[in-house]
Amino acid sequence: MTQPASPPRPAASKSEPADGARPLRTLTARVDVRTLSLLGVLAVLVLIGGITQPDSFLDTDNVQLILTQSSVIGVVTVGMTFVIISGGIDLSVGAIVALASVWATTVATQEYGFAGILFTAVIVGMACGLVNGMLIAYGGMVPFIATLAMLAAGRGLALQITDGKTQMVTVDGVLKLGERDSYILGIPPLVLVFAAVTVVGWLLLNRTTFGRRSVAVGGNAEAARLAGIDVRRQRLYLYLLSGLCCGIAAFLLIILSGSGQNTNGNLYELDAIAAAIIGGTLLSGGRGTITGSVLGVLIFITIQNIFALNNLQSDVQQIAKGAIIVAAVLVQRRTASHT
């Protein structure tokens, strides 16, 4: 007997998305809305700066200053974003920047010239990140406690190295990078380094297995472990990456200030965490963007610049920062509930 012909499958409606298209479209729309909202805030700040100080705010020198100041904390924020996405936290970034900057500017280190300063700053940063990672991943310590201990130890060691004094840089190759003659097409070298770190960070998070594993660990560490991800090793790598970013930031700060001080990187941890949060990174882990974090840094630095140009007190500036953080989080929650 011939089998009855199976009924034809109904043609898919052109209005219906393919399997998996809707979640992807929803995620893309959510990311776009967050990015656009941050760009909107930044545009409003630029408008305010242009209105209140039309002659100085939009001046080329001032724009270069904003971008240069954003570079140091921006590099730190890229590393912090990875850590927070994985469900961790790093309170020691400011202390690591300070320790790396003073260790790299000692008389003994400067005898090795440009390469010696750069190498020392990066190695010290990575060493501190390695200690944090080992304590958290293999020592079972809570990230808050481990990095808080590193914060105290790093600040103390930086003070001991400098004896409370400023260490001036005498290496011409380093000092020249902070001069206008070294600008490339009007762009300071520090900004180019920041841009390079941002691009590498974006590619690492969005186009590599490392980035997917970081998100998986932050979303559900146990599920990531069952899926074959070595959660402890991944966390170690993430804090090592944060330390590397701190080392690079320390070198940029040395170029910017021409010195090493134990007070360098003061409150960087708070600024980096805040920038990542308003950029869309969840403190609980599992979600975040490099683009959003960078926009968060630019917003904070622009606020500081506007306040400085208008001779407003720093306490009002801190209040404004807090209000922006709260507003950004509320906008993100509202966006998430409607997508």
Side-chain angles (χ1 to χ4, degrees):
M1 292 180 62
T2 59
Q3 296 292 334
S6 59
R9 297 180 61 184
S13 173
K14 293 184 179 180
S15 61
E16 294 180 358
D19 292 343
R22 186 180 298 275
L24 179 60
R25 185 180 304 169
T26 300
L27 177 61
T28 303
R30 186 182 303 170
V31 172
D32 288 343
V33 169
R34 290 196 194 100
T35 302
L36 289 174
S37 65
L38 291 172
L39 287 172
V41 172
L42 187 59
V44 170
L45 290 174
V46 171
L47 182 62
I48 293 173
I51 293 174
T52 58
Q53 294 292 332
D55 296 329
S56 54
F57 180 77
L58 297 178
D59 184 74
T60 302
D61 291 340
N62 189 58
V63 173
Q64 290 175 338
L65 176 63
I66 292 175
L67 294 176
T68 301
Q69 292 178 338
S70 300
S71 299
V72 180
I73 184 62
V75 171
V76 174
T77 302
V78 170
M80 179 70 79
T81 301
F82 276 91
V83 170
I84 297 178
I85 285 175
S86 71
I89 198 73
D90 192 347
L91 301 179
S92 64
V93 291
I96 294 176
V97 169
L99 180 58
S101 68
V102 300
W103 207 321
T105 54
T106 59
V107 175
T109 302
Q110 293 193 53
E111 290 180 355
Y112 294 94
F114 183 97
I117 294 177
L118 174 59
F119 178 79
T120 302
V122 170
I123 289 299
V124 171
M126 293 183 67
C128 292
L130 179 63
V131 172
N132 281 337
M134 291 295 292
L135 291 175
I136 294 166
Y138 294 96
M141 292 187 67
V142 177
F144 181 91
I145 300 300
T147 57
L148 185 62
M150 178 58 73
L151 183 156
R155 286 291 177 190
L157 186 54
L159 179 60
Q160 186 177 44
I161 291 174
T162 61
D163 195 23
K165 300 176 182 178
T166 300
Q167 298 178 162
M168 303 304 299
V169 176
T170 59
V171 179
D172 290 337
V174 174
L175 295 175
K176 286 181 179 179
L177 287 177
E179 298 176 356
R180 185 171 296 276
D181 292 341
S182 64
Y183 288 12
I184 302 174
L185 300 177
I187 304 175
L190 277 70
V191 178
L192 295 176
V193 173
F194 175 35
V197 171
T198 299
V199 171
V200 172
W202 187 91
L203 292 174
L204 195 61
L205 179 62
N206 297 282
R207 294 291 184 268
T208 67
T209 303
F210 179 87
R212 291 191 291 271
R213 288 175 177 173
S214 300
V215 174
V217 169
N220 190 323
E222 180 60 21
R225 185 187 67 81
L226 293 176
I229 297 175
D230 191 331
V231 175
R232 293 190 299 178
R233 184 172 60 186
Q234 185 68 21
R235 284 174 174 162
L236 174 62
Y237 288 161
L238 287 163
Y239 281 96
L240 194 62
L241 175 62
S242 179
L244 171 62
C245 289
C246 289
I248 296 173
F251 182 71
L252 297 183
L253 192 56
I254 291 171
I255 295 173
L256 186 62
S257 63
S259 64
Q261 305 176 51
N262 66 286
T263 56
N264 283 342
N266 188 34
L267 297 181
Y268 274 17
E269 55 277 358
L270 300 183
D271 286 344
I273 293 171
I277 291 173
I278 73 168
T281 303
L282 291 180
L283 269 177
S284 56
R287 191 185 75 193
T289 67
I290 298 297
T291 303
S293 296
V294 169
L295 289 174
V297 171
L298 291 174
I299 287 172
F300 278 165
I301 298 300
T302 303
I303 291 174
Q304 293 178 5
N305 184 265
I306 293 174
F307 276 57
L309 291 177
N310 288 278
N311 297 317
L312 297 176
Q313 297 179 357
S314 59
D315 55 348
V316 181
Q317 174 183 318
Q318 298 302 323
I319 294 173
K321 279 187 178 183
I324 289 177
I325 294 172
V326 172
V329 172
L330 291 177
V331 168
Q332 289 167 8
R333 292 185 61 182
R334 184 176 179 83
T335 301
S337 65
H338 284 79
T339 53

